[in-house]
């Protein structure tokens, strides 16, 4: 697929003409990594307030007025606006989140709150997900303030709390309480797109890498469920036809073993077509799991998004070996493709059976966008300008982000937080993983790509 970008897509000398920008993005990223914003999901964490105040202060230094808004004590988000040069065009939303998932410091090579610079990388929880991208956005708008440059469109900035759980205290809160802030936004960019995926050396290119840059057009829907089975409590030695644990385990087994059918929706089919062209291969649509394994990192981009899924993640029952519990509970992470929500929920209910009840912890529709329009073309052009050997491709995210909230406001959302990684760093595995880190050179790359895109589109 080749899409012609707008004539202005490259802009004029689209690099930050500011010697301080590279150092600024490193300093800001380090500072953010050293602020604990872990979000365990039960409001026991430190919250995002300290990080929100830091972000607002860095914006104020650039002459940008920012609003800190709290949904609950310490649960803070930051909203701001940067004027563009093209009057009358819809605004572009740039959103990111300030919270991170928890960590076990004993498992890490370097402390997750150190922000240590080692082997060319900044180490810490949130380096990839997604304080590095937040730092890139902040450094860029600060560079513009120093050089007098501006984006083409008005930029609406949102640095959010609570993305790592449901977004109830972050994106959902600001979308409801501060709806006017987003009223003129037509499109948005956020996390999980624009990162490099090294594939293999190109034939005849003296070992040069072939790199993919997936740009997310949407994401699967979310169905986080709490399942409950009940039965008579009693002594563990007695026969029990209604054992709550057994009832729940049988239901979970049916759910985990269910062969969800393959569905090729447009963004995934577009990705497969691009991979065939770029890699010079044919991908058999009838055996996609095997094809994903064959294609390695390229296959990782579509393997989770060709079908729905329901993965049991937590089991809770009983407190003593000889006491039969009256209640057993489980948590299930369910994901469904765009257009399959009702079918998915009905299938899950049938698999669980009448003796297991279901409550939704989080239920959000899937989102999907367009890969043939000018937004995707402009992002692809900005990436290719900085990496001529790179291949931007469309894809669908398997997980979820705050884009779901903003898509409900009628905003077309893309995953585009550009970052170049070397072949030793696997983007998806660093998400929520041990020894999360981001290369300093990759942050510089992201700064340049984002500058090209935002000043041109």
């Amino acid at each position: 697929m080749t899409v012609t970008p707008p004539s202005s897509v490259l802009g004029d000398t689209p690099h930050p003409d500011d010697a301080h920008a590279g150092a600024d993005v490193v300093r800001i990223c380090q500072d953010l990594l050293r602020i604990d914003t872990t979000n365990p999901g039960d409001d026991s964490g430190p919250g995002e307030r300290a990080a929100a105040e830091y972000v607002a202060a860095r914006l104020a230094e650039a002459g940008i007025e920012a609003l800190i808004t709290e949904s609950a004590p310490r649960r803070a988000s930051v909203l701001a606006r940067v004027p563009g040069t093209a009057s009358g065009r819809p605004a572009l939303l740039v959103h990111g989140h300030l919270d991170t998932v928890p960590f076990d410091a004993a498992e890490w090579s370097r402390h997750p709150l150190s922000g240590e610079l080692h082997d060319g990388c900044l180490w810490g929880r949130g380096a990839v997900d997604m304080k590095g991208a937040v730092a890139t956005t902040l450094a860029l708008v600060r560079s513009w303030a120093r050089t007098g440059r501006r984006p083409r469109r008005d930029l609406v900035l949102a640095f959010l709390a609570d993305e790592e759980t449901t977004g109830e205290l972050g994106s959902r809160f600001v979308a409801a309480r501060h709806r006017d802030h987003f009223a003129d936004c037509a499109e948005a960019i956020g996390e999980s797109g624009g990162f490099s995926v090294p594939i293999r050396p190109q034939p005849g290119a003296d070992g040069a890498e072939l790199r993919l840059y997936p740009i997310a057009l949407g994401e699967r829907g979310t169905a986080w469920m709490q399942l409950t089975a009940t039965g008579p409590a009693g002594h563990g030695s007695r026969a029990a036809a209604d054992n709550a644990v057994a009832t729940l385990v049988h239901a979970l087994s049916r759910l985990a073993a269910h062969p969800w059918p393959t569905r090729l929706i447009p963004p995934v089919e577009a990705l497969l077509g691009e991979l065939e062209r770029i890699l010079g291969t044919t991908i058999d649509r009838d055996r996609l799991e095997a094809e994903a394994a064959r294609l390695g990192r390229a296959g990782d981009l579509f393997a989770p998004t060709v079908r729905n899924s329901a993965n049991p993640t937590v089991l809770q029952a009983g407190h003593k070996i000889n006491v039969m519990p009256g209640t057993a509970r489980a948590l299930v992470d369910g994901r469904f493709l765009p257009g399959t929500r009702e079918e998915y929920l009905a299938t899950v209910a049938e698999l669980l059976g009448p003796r297991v009840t279901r409550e939704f912890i989080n239920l959000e529709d899937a989102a999907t966008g367009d890969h043939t329009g000018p937004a995707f073309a402009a992002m692809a052009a900005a990436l290719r300008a900085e990496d001529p050997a790179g291949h931007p491709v469309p894809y669908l995210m398997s997980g979820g982000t705050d884009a779901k909230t903003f898509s409900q406001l009628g905003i077309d959302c893309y995953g585009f937080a550009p970052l170049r990684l070397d072949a030793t760093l696997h983007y998806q595995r660093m998400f929520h993983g041990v020894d999360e880190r981001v290369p300093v050179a990759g942050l510089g790359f992201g700064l340049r790509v984002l500058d090209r895109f935002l000043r041109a589109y």
Side-chain angles (χ1 to χ4, degrees):
M1 174 200 65
T2 300
V3 179
T4 302
S7 59
S8 60
V9 76
L10 294 183
D12 58 317
T13 319
H15 291 74
D17 280 349
D18 181 0
H20 302 292
D24 204 28
V25 70
V26 172
R27 178 178 64 87
I28 292 171
C29 186
Q30 280 187 307
D31 289 346
L32 287 171
L33 291 173
R34 291 166 179 164
I35 300 173
D36 186 359
T37 56
T38 50
N39 181 6
D42 57 5
D43 207 32
S44 63
E48 301 86 0
R49 179 78 199 195
E53 291 176 351
Y54 176 87
V55 167
R58 301 293 78 75
L59 290 171
E61 291 169 351
I64 300 169
E65 183 179 356
L67 169 70
I68 298 177
T69 178
E70 277 196 340
S71 54
R74 310 182 317 279
R75 308 309 303 274
S77 298
V78 183
L79 304 177
R81 193 178 188 101
V82 179
T85 60
S87 61
R89 296 199 69 190
L92 177 71
L93 169 61
V94 181
H95 63 93
H97 62 88
L98 301 175
D99 62 326
T100 68
V101 295
F103 55 80
D104 181 350
E107 297 177 342
W108 286 57
S109 303
R110 282 161 179 79
H111 196 279
L113 297 177
S114 69
E116 182 178 340
L117 177 59
H118 178 75
D119 284 345
C121 293
L122 295 175
W123 295 59
R125 173 58 82 220
V128 169
D129 183 21
M130 63 171 299
K131 291 181 175 179
V134 170
T136 300
T137 302
L138 290 173
L140 181 57
V141 299
R142 286 161 59 83
S143 172
W144 289 339
R146 286 189 289 266
T147 62
R149 296 188 171 196
R150 290 165 61 190
R152 190 173 184 208
R153 299 185 182 207
D154 281 10
L155 298 186
V156 170
L157 305 180
F159 303 104
L160 301 160
D162 201 37
E163 190 273 346
E164 295 294 359
T165 53
T166 64
E168 191 67 34
L169 301 177
S171 61
R172 294 182 189 175
F173 174 81
V174 299
R177 186 68 63 89
H178 301 281
R179 177 66 183 88
D180 290 347
H181 186 68
F182 308 99
D184 63 340
C185 293
E187 294 157 321
I189 59 172
E191 66 178 313
S192 293
F195 55 91
S196 65
V197 180
I199 301 300
R200 56 170 171 76
Q202 299 184 66
D206 299 325
E209 279 187 350
L210 187 158
R211 286 177 293 278
L212 303 177
Y213 286 92
I215 298 172
L217 305 180
E219 53 196 52
R220 293 194 298 173
T222 300
W224 287 352
M225 298 168 277
Q226 177 175 277
L227 309 181
T228 304
T230 60
H235 199 285
S237 66
R238 298 181 59 186
D242 294 327
N243 184 303
V245 175
T247 298
L248 183 61
V249 168
H250 287 314
L252 292 175
S253 178
R254 292 192 297 271
L255 193 62
H258 181 67
W260 297 98
T262 297
R263 300 279 177 78
L264 284 179
I265 63 171
V268 180
E269 182 59 63
L271 170 61
L272 296 180
E274 282 294 278
L275 292 179
E276 288 179 324
R277 180 185 64 81
I278 294 164
L279 301 176
T281 189
T282 298
I283 299 174
D284 187 344
R285 286 7 180 219
D286 293 327
R287 51 191 303 273
L288 284 172
E289 288 184 342
E291 291 287 67
R294 175 176 71 87
L295 295 174
R297 289 196 184 185
D300 290 343
L301 296 177
F302 66 81
T305 57
V306 296
R307 56 174 52 87
N308 299 330
S309 62
N311 290 316
T313 54
V314 177
L315 285 171
Q316 299 170 329
H319 61 277
K320 196 171 186 292
I321 192 169
N322 64 341
V323 177
M324 191 160 51
T327 302
R329 293 187 176 89
L331 302 182
V332 172
D333 184 337
R335 310 283 175 157
F336 54 89
L337 294 169
T340 69
R341 170 176 164 153
E342 296 310 316
E343 175 191 333
Y344 175 81
L345 296 180
T347 300
V348 169
E350 182 179 355
L351 291 169
L352 295 179
R355 295 178 56 201
V356 175
T357 61
R358 173 179 63 181
E359 297 175 76
F360 291 106
I361 298 170
N362 189 31
L363 180 60
E364 290 184 291
D365 280 334
T368 186
D370 180 21
H371 68 282
T372 64
F376 184 92
M379 288 181 256
L383 285 164
R384 282 193 292 262
E386 288 299 324
D387 185 2
H391 296 270
V393 296
Y395 91 120
L396 185 79
M397 281 185 274
S398 62
T401 73
D402 287 323
K404 285 191 178 71
T405 295
F406 297 119
S407 67
Q408 294 300 308
L409 301 181
I411 300 172
D412 293 332
C413 296
Y414 297 87
F416 185 69
L419 176 67
R420 181 164 168 177
L421 301 167
D422 64 47
T424 65
L425 298 177
H426 194 297
Y427 183 84
Q428 286 98 340
R429 291 176 187 171
M430 285 192 294
F431 255 72
H432 302 185
V434 173
D435 286 345
E436 184 180 353
R437 57 201 185 274
V438 63
V440 168
L443 293 175
F445 173 86
L447 188 70
R448 297 190 300 274
V449 173
L450 199 61
D451 178 66
R452 285 183 182 272
F453 172 66
L454 293 179
R455 290 199 305 108
Y457 182 61

